[in-house]
Amino acid sequence: MTREVVLHIYDVTNCDSEKTNNTILQINRIFKDRIGLGGIFHSAIQVYGDEEWSFGFCENGPGVFSCPSGKNPMYTYRERIVVGETDCSLLKVKQILRELSREWPGESYDLLSRNCNHFCDMFCERLGVPKLPGWVNRFANAGDTAMVVAGNTAFRIRKAKEDIITASKVAYKFLASKASFPQTSPESPSNTNGAGTPRFQGTWLRSLASLGAKPSGSTFDVNDPGEETLPPGNQRSNERFQALSYSSVVSSKTDNIQHIPSDHEKESLEKTTDSTVDGWNDIFYNARQAVTGAVSYVENRAKEVSDEVTSQLQQLYDSYPYLENVIVPVGSTICATLLAWFVMPRILRKFHLYASRNPLALLSGHSIEEQIPYEKGVWSALEDPARYLITFLAFYELGIMIAPTTSQYLPQAWRGAVVLSLVWFLHRWKTNVFARFMEKPPVFGLDRDKVLTLEKISTMGLLILGAIALAEACGVAVQSILTVGGIGGVATAFAARDILGNVLSGLSLQFSKPFSLGDNIKAGSIEGQVVEMGLTTTSLINPEKFPIIVPNSLFSSQVIVNKSRAELYACVMKIPMHIDDLEKVPNVTEEIKSAVSSNCGVSLDKELPYCFLSRIENSFLELTLGCNLKNMKKEEQHATRQDILVAAATIIKKHGAKLGGKSDDFYS
C-alpha cells in the first residue's frame, strides 16, 4: 500500500435549506476560486487504504470517524490534494488513530476552535507531513481569533471597571473617616493635621495606596507600621467608620462592636462626598499634567537635537557651497532614480510574495496553491507608475536647481505627473483584474462579452476622469469651459447623433444579448454569421462568405432572427407524383411518415412528421412533407434533408408509383 497522504476537501452543504447550500457554494467559489482567501470546507485525510479519516460532533464516544475516500454523503466533494508521503508504517498509523480517538471525543467539537480541519492538521503533524493549506481553515481561524480578542477586550473592560469602583470605594471610605475626625479651630496650634495641609495630603495618599492594595472586603489597622499614629480619639472614630462601612468589623481593637450610624454621622458622610470627587479630580488632573509635561520635554529635546544637527549642516554648507548647490541635489537625484529602478521592484515583489500568504490576497487576487504571477498582480501594476513618478520627482528637484526661473511652472507639472501616474496605475490594475476574470469560468451571469463591454466602458470612464483631473492640475478651469461650451456641446451631440446612436445601441446589444459571436442571424435583408461585436458596429460573414459591417443602430429598428438559438428547425418539402398513381397516395404517405419519424435528426417532441396530398393538376399531383429537425450544424441539416428525400423517393418507387411534373415543380 502507498505511503501517500491525501487531503480530501468538501464544500459544507449539509444544511436542510437548498438556498443556504447554494449560498455556501457561491461563497466558496468567490472567496477561494476568485480571491484565494478561503471558504467553508470540510476535510479528511486518507492514508494506507481506501478510507478517509475525519472528526465530527457526537454526544458520546470518539468523534473520529472514517468513510470511503471522496464519498462523504453529507458534503459536496471539491478536490484532492497530495500533502506528502509519511514514514510511518501501517501499524504506527493505526496506533496514531487510536490515540487521536481518545484525544478527540465527539463532545469536544467546536465549529471555530476544534473542528475537522484542526483534526486533520494534528493528524498530518503526527504523520510527519506538511499541514493543511492555510485557506482550508482560514475562516474558522479568523472567527476564533475574533472571539478571543472580543473576550479579552470584554475581560479587560470589566477588570478596569472593577478597579475603578474598588479605588473609588476605598477613597470614599478613607475620606469619610477623615471627615468624622474632631475638628479644631483654624487658629489652634494643634491643627497641624488639617485637610488642607501637606501633612494630611501625604498621609491621605499613603493611606490610599495601602488601602488600594488590599481586597475590598478586608479590614485594615489604623496603627499600621509606616503610617502616622492617630490620636486616640481619631482611632476610635476610625473604628466606628469601619463598623459603618462593613456592617461588622473583625478587629482586635474594637471587640466586634456593632454600630448604627447616627443622623450626625450620615450628614458627615454626605459632606465628604464632594471632597472625594474633588480629590479624584485633582489626581486625574495631576496625572494629565505629568503626561503633558513628559511629552513637552521629549518634544523640546527633539527640537534641540534637530536645531543642533541643522546648525552643523549649515556650517558645513557654508564652508563648502558647492556641496549644497550641486553635490547634494545631484546625488539625491541619482540615488532616488537608482532606488526607483533597481530597489523598488524587489521590494514590490516581496510585498507580492507576502500578500499571497495572508488575507491581503484580497487586494491582488491570488491563492496559495495557484500563485498568480507577479506580472498580473496589483504590485506589478504599481511598479512602472511609481518608478516613473519617483524619477520625475528627482529630476523635478534638479530642474529647480538648474533653471530657477522655470520653477513657477514646475508645480503644475508635478501635479500633472501625479495624476497621470495614478490613472496609469488604475488602468494597469483594471487590466490585470479583467484579465484574471476572463481566465475563470463566468460568475453572476457575466459572460465574456459582457466583461469585455465593462472593460471598455471602465477604460473610457477612467480616461475621461483622468483628462479632467489633468486639466485641473495644470490650472485649466474645466468647469468654466463646460459651462460656456454647453451650447456647443448640444450642437456637437446633435451632429454626432448617429455615432451616439450606434454607441448606445452597441451597449444595449452587449447587455441584452440578442445574439453572440458565432450566431447566424437575420435582420431585415441582412443575414450572416456574427464574427465581431463592437460599440459602434457589428461584423458579419454572409452565406457567400463576404464580410458585412453593420451599424449597431440598425438592430434597434429591425426584427432580429437568431437561427442559432432555435431549438427546432421546420422543414417542409414538396414531392410531385404522376396523376395515374392517385390510388397509391394513402399507402405512400403513411409509409413516408413512418420513415421520417425513425430518422435520428427529426424531433418528435412538439409535433409529429406529416405527409399529405396538397395539390392535384392534370398531369401530376403533389405531396407535402413536413417535420421538425433538431438543432444542428448547417451541414448536418442538409444531410438530414437529403436522407428524408431519398427515403421518400425510395418508398414511392417501392409502391410502383412514378415521380411526375416538371423539374421546376420539385422544390423545397
Side-chain angles (χ1 to χ4, degrees):
M1 289 184 285
T2 179
R3 295 174 177 268
E4 194 175 62
V5 179
V6 180
L7 171 66
H8 294 281
I9 306 294
Y10 297 82
D11 292 313
V12 178
T13 55
N14 58 340
C15 300
D16 296 333
S17 172
E18 187 68 23
K19 183 177 180 181
T20 303
N21 293 334
N22 292 333
T23 301
I24 293 176
L25 289 174
Q26 191 72 5
I27 290 174
N28 291 346
R29 215 173 282 129
I30 295 173
F31 285 92
K32 168 55 178 67
D33 300 337
R34 298 281 181 269
I35 303 175
L37 187 61
I40 305 173
F41 304 113
H42 169 79
S43 61
I45 295 294
Q46 175 190 357
V47 58
Y48 284 121
D50 298 330
E51 296 287 318
E52 65 179 28
W53 297 86
S54 189
F55 173 69
F57 173 80
C58 63
E59 295 182 355
N60 298 312
V64 180
F65 66 94
S66 66
C67 66
S69 59
K71 298 180 180 179
N72 192 321
M74 297 181 61
Y75 309 106
T76 302
Y77 190 76
R78 183 180 184 87
E79 61 180 306
R80 71 191 297 271
I81 300 174
V82 178
V83 182
E85 291 189 359
T86 180
D87 295 331
C88 300
S89 63
L90 178 59
L91 294 178
K92 180 62 176 177
V93 171
K94 291 182 178 180
Q95 180 184 353
I96 292 174
L97 287 172
R98 285 194 295 270
E99 294 174 355
L100 291 176
S101 297
R102 291 191 297 268
E103 298 172 5
W104 292 73
E107 61 183 8
S108 67
Y109 180 89
D110 185 85
L111 182 63
L112 297 180
S113 61
R114 192 178 174 86
N115 57 30
C116 57
N117 300 322
H118 295 99
F119 168 80
C120 291
D121 260 342
M122 179 62 68
F123 195 10
C124 289
E125 182 178 351
R126 299 281 181 91
L127 293 174
V129 297
K131 293 186 176 183
L132 276 62
W135 57 265
V136 176
N137 205 30
R138 183 165 292 152
F139 277 22
N141 291 336
D144 185 45
T145 303
M147 294 294 292
V148 171
V149 171
N152 291 340
T153 303
F155 173 77
R156 292 177 183 273
I157 292 175
R158 289 196 301 270
K159 187 67 172 60
K161 180 180 178 182
E162 293 173 359
D163 292 343
I164 292 174
I165 293 175
T166 301
S168 301
K169 288 182 179 179
V170 171
Y172 176 78
K173 293 170 186 176
F174 185 81
L175 291 176
S177 68
K178 292 298 181 183
S180 63
F181 292 165
Q183 302 294 326
T184 59
S185 62
E187 294 82 2
S188 175
S190 62
N191 190 15
T192 59
N193 198 24
T197 64
R199 180 182 178 186
F200 170 78
Q201 293 177 357
T203 304
W204 185 84
L205 290 174
R206 289 196 301 273
S207 300
L208 181 61
S210 63
L211 287 173
K214 296 181 179 181
S216 59
S218 63
T219 60
F220 60 92
D221 188 357
V222 296
N223 290 325
D224 184 49
E227 300 291 339
E228 296 184 13
T229 303
L230 297 178
N234 287 353
Q235 291 181 8
R236 185 64 181 172
S237 299
N238 195 30
E239 292 169 359
R240 187 167 63 249
F241 163 72
Q242 294 178 29
L244 173 64
S245 302
Y246 297 98
S247 300
S248 62
V249 178
V250 182
S251 175
S252 61
K253 296 184 179 183
T254 59
D255 300 329
N256 297 334
I257 298 176
Q258 297 285 341
H259 176 73
I260 301 175
S262 63
D263 293 339
H264 176 72
E265 290 174 338
K266 292 180 179 179
E267 292 177 359
S268 298
L269 291 176
E270 292 175 356
K271 291 179 180 179
T272 58
T273 302
D274 294 338
S275 63
T276 303
V277 174
D278 294 338
W280 277 105
N281 287 338
D282 292 340
I283 292 175
F284 290 132
Y285 176 77
N286 292 334
R288 184 172 64 84
Q289 289 294 105
V291 173
T292 304
V295 173
S296 300
Y297 173 77
V298 172
E299 182 179 357
N300 292 334
R301 290 296 300 168
K303 185 177 181 181
E304 291 175 2
V305 172
S306 176
D307 293 341
E308 184 177 355
V309 172
T310 303
S311 87
Q312 294 291 337
L313 289 177
Q314 190 61 43
Q315 292 178 5
L316 184 63
Y317 288 155
D318 293 340
S319 302
Y320 304 97
Y322 192 78
L323 181 66
E324 180 182 8
N325 298 330
V326 179
I327 300 298
V328 172
V330 173
S332 300
T333 301
I334 295 175
C335 291
T337 304
L338 293 176
L339 289 174
W341 284 86
F342 297 104
V343 178
M344 188 184 67
R346 296 179 178 271
I347 297 176
L348 294 179
R349 288 182 182 274
K350 293 291 184 182
F351 285 162
H352 173 78
L353 182 62
Y354 171 76
S356 65
R357 297 178 179 177
N358 67 83
L360 285 179
L362 180 62
L363 290 176
S364 52
H366 47 69
S367 63
I368 296 177
E369 288 69 31
E370 299 178 358
Q371 288 278 352
I372 289 183
Y374 170 77
E375 291 73 15
K376 294 184 178 180
V378 61
W379 304 107
S380 174
L382 180 63
E383 179 179 329
D384 284 346
R387 177 188 296 170
Y388 283 99
L389 181 63
I390 294 175
T391 304
F392 178 83
L393 175 62
F395 284 93
Y396 167 82
E397 296 294 339
L398 190 62
I400 294 178
M401 180 193 70
I402 297 175
T405 56
T406 61
S407 60
Q408 57 179 339
Y409 305 106
L410 291 178
Q412 296 178 355
W414 163 243
R415 290 194 296 268
V418 172
V419 171
L420 288 177
S421 299
L422 179 60
V423 173
W424 189 12
F425 161 68
L426 293 177
H427 176 71
R428 287 167 57 89
W429 189 18
K430 173 191 67 66
T431 303
N432 290 342
V433 170
F434 278 102
R436 293 198 302 269
F437 194 91
M438 295 293 290
E439 295 175 356
K440 301 293 183 178
V443 293
F444 301 118
L446 294 176
D447 56 9
R448 181 183 178 88
D449 296 334
K450 290 185 179 179
V451 172
L452 290 176
T453 302
L454 290 176
E455 197 272 338
K456 293 177 182 177
I457 294 175
S458 60
T459 300
M460 293 176 59
L462 187 61
L463 292 177
I464 293 173
L465 293 177
I468 294 175
L470 180 62
E472 289 285 351
C474 295
V476 179
V478 179
Q479 185 176 2
S480 301
I481 293 176
L482 293 177
T483 302
V484 174
I487 299 176
V490 173
T492 303
F494 181 77
R497 63 184 184 278
D498 293 336
I499 298 177
L500 293 176
N502 290 329
V503 171
L504 295 177
S505 298
L507 293 176
S508 177
L509 291 176
Q510 295 288 350
F511 287 97
S512 61
K513 303 300 293 182
F515 51 83
S516 304
L517 294 177
D519 289 352
N520 289 306
I521 65 171
K522 182 178 181 181
S525 60
I526 299 174
E527 182 177 2
Q529 184 181 19
V530 181
V531 294
E532 184 181 357
M533 297 175 61
L535 284 178
T536 58
T537 60
T538 298
S539 299
L540 306 177
I541 296 293
N542 66 0
E544 289 77 21
K545 303 304 179 183
F546 292 133
I548 302 176
I549 299 178
V550 184
N552 287 334
S553 58
L554 175 69
F555 296 109
S556 62
S557 59
Q558 296 288 338
V559 176
I560 301 174
V561 179
N562 193 335
K563 297 181 179 181
S564 298
R565 294 184 183 178
E567 297 179 359
L568 302 174
Y569 292 92
C571 176
V572 179
M573 294 174 282
K574 308 292 185 178
I575 302 176
M577 290 179 59
H578 200 276
I579 192 63
D580 296 336
D581 299 324
L582 181 61
E583 68 279 0
K584 299 176 182 179
V585 168
N587 295 332
V588 171
T589 55
E590 289 298 326
E591 192 167 348
I592 289 177
K593 286 192 290 185
S594 299
V596 174
S597 299
S598 62
N599 191 297
C600 61
V602 176
S603 174
L604 306 178
D605 295 337
K606 296 184 178 180
E607 185 180 6
L608 296 177
Y610 57 87
C611 182
F612 61 91
L613 180 63
S614 60
R615 182 180 177 186
I616 298 178
E617 296 292 341
N618 292 330
S619 60
F620 71 96
L621 53 87
E622 187 176 77
L623 300 181
T624 298
L625 171 60
C627 62
N628 292 328
L629 301 182
K630 297 178 181 179
N631 191 353
M632 60 186 71
K633 297 180 180 179
K634 183 175 292 186
E635 295 80 5
E636 296 175 349
Q637 287 185 26
H638 294 330
T640 303
R641 293 166 66 94
Q642 176 179 294
D643 293 341
I644 293 174
L645 287 175
V646 171
T650 302
I651 292 172
I652 292 173
K653 289 185 177 182
K654 175 184 174 182
H655 286 272
K658 298 180 180 180
L659 296 174
K662 300 179 181 179
S663 59
D664 57 351
D665 290 332
F666 184 33
Y667 60 91
S668 60

